Amino acid sequence: MRKAILLFLLLGFVTIASAQSSAKKKGKTPVLKDTIAIENPALVQPEIIFNDTVIAVNGKFSLYKKSAHASYYADKFNGRKTASGKKFSNKKYTAAHRKLPFGTVVRVTNEANGQCVLVEITDRGPFSRGREIDLSKRAFMEIASNKNSGSIIVKIEIAN
C-alpha cells in the first residue's frame, strides 16, 4: 500500500514538472503582474507588483475623485510618444491625466461593477471636456461592463 501511494505521488510530481517545462518552452511562463490584495485586510501586502516593477505602497490608496468620467485611447496613438517620453501602447496599463505627475500609480474602479485596475500616468489629457482620465484600451476593457461603451464612471485613487 505504501509503495502504491509513493508511486502515485511520484507520478503526479513528474506530470506537474513536465507541464511546467513545456509551458516554459512555449514562452508561457506564468508571471505575477498587476496584483494587489487589499480587499481582505488580513492579506494586505507591503508592495504591489506592477508592470514587472515592485512598488511599495503599503496597500494604501488615497481617494482622488469619485464619479469621474473615463474614456480610452484610440488605436491610432499606438507607437507614438507620450508627454512623459514613453512610447504608448494600448496593450499596457497606462493612463493620461491633466494634473497628476508622470509615474503616479492610480487605481481606477468602475463604479457600476466594482472592478478595478492599476495604471501608471504617462501622458497628459484627456482633452475632451468632462473627461477626467484616459485609459489604455486594455485597462478600459478590463473594467468595463459594456465593451461597446466609450466612457464609464469611475473612482480614482492614488497609491501612497
Side-chain angles (χ1 to χ4, degrees):
M1 182 69 174
R2 266 185 160 174
K3 287 182 181 179
I5 293 172
L6 287 173
L7 183 62
F8 178 74
L9 291 174
L10 181 62
L11 286 175
F13 177 73
V14 170
T15 305
I16 292 170
S18 66
Q20 287 177 344
S21 66
S22 67
K24 286 182 182 176
K25 288 178 186 174
K26 294 177 185 175
K28 296 181 179 178
T29 309
V31 179
L32 180 64
K33 286 185 179 178
D34 304 323
T35 58
I36 184 165
I38 63 160
E39 279 66 59
N40 184 349
L43 300 176
V44 172
Q45 297 174 351
E47 60 206 20
I48 294 175
I49 299 172
F50 179 74
N51 289 343
D52 297 326
T53 306
V54 177
I55 302 167
V57 296
N58 299 321
K60 296 180 182 176
F61 291 87
S62 301
L63 179 64
Y64 180 77
K65 188 167 186 180
K66 276 187 169 183
S67 299
H69 288 265
S71 56
Y72 64 92
Y73 279 91
D75 288 330
K76 70 179 183 179
F77 294 107
N78 275 325
R80 294 188 187 178
K81 267 191 176 180
T82 61
S84 66
K86 293 183 179 181
K87 200 175 198 181
F88 175 73
S89 171
N90 254 332
K91 295 179 181 177
K92 293 184 179 179
Y93 291 95
T94 59
H97 195 272
R98 290 186 202 100
K99 298 176 185 173
L100 292 174
F102 297 134
T104 303
V105 176
V106 296
R107 179 170 63 179
V108 181
T109 306
N110 183 343
E111 292 187 351
N113 62 15
Q115 292 182 332
C116 65
V117 67
L118 294 174
V119 293
E120 179 184 4
I121 303 297
T122 59
D123 204 3
R124 290 291 168 231
F127 299 109
S128 298
R129 182 176 246 171
R131 301 276 164 86
E132 184 73 28
I133 191 166
D134 262 343
L135 301 171
S136 63
K137 196 169 193 176
R138 181 177 186 181
F140 184 90
M141 292 302 169
E142 200 165 298
I143 63 172
S145 303
N146 181 0
K147 307 297 183 202
N148 295 324
S149 66
S151 69
I152 54 177
I153 306 296
V154 297
K155 174 173 66 171
I156 302 172
E157 298 169 290
I158 301 172
N160 293 335

